Amino acid sequence: MAGENITIKEYRELLDRAVGLVLKKHGLDEEFRLESTPDPTMGDLGLPCFKYARVKRKAPPVIAKELAEDLEIGGLILGGRAVGHSMNLYLHLSTMSQIVPRQLIG
């Protein structure tokens, strides 16, 4: 992925697609919003799972664990793990650090 000429918008679309796929696999086709984590050691972005609890009839930490286990790793995503009520993503930030400067000067 490093060195590819993708835009920030395309980067975000790839992340959204990866998260959307794991949600769909679990029967959760609802809209979602990735949020920053309170501590970088917990991941780069998080997906709170509160709103899926009613649909799945499970506790948010259980849903987060199931989603993280099925998240497709690769490309932009280094990994995923459940942290409390969220599925947190670890991203290839080195790729992002190359994209942003190119767009600022381009």
Side-chain angles (χ1 to χ4, degrees), residues 72-92:
E72 194 169 314
I73 306 303
L76 302 174
I77 301 174
L78 283 171
R81 76 171 196 186
V83 179
H85 65 272
S86 294
M87 174 187 68
N88 290 359
L89 306 174
Y90 293 85
L91 307 176
H92 281 284

Side-chain angles (χ1 to χ4, degrees), residues 1 8 18-21 34 39 41 50 67 71 74 90 92-93 101:
M1 173 119 296
I8 292 172
V19 173
L21 285 173
L34 296 173
D39 178 351
T41 63
F50 290 115
L67 294 176
L71 182 67
Y90 293 85
H92 281 284
L93 295 180

Side-chain angles (χ1 to χ4, degrees), residues 43-85:
D44 299 302
L45 294 172
L47 175 71
C49 295
F50 290 115
K51 73 183 211 171
Y52 308 123
R54 179 184 241 183
V55 174
K56 297 298 283 184
R57 297 183 187 269
K58 296 179 181 179
V62 173
I63 297 168
K65 183 178 184 298
E66 291 173 353
L67 294 176
E69 288 172 351
D70 287 340
L71 182 67
E72 194 169 314
I73 306 303
L76 302 174
I77 301 174
L78 283 171
R81 76 171 196 186
V83 179
H85 65 272

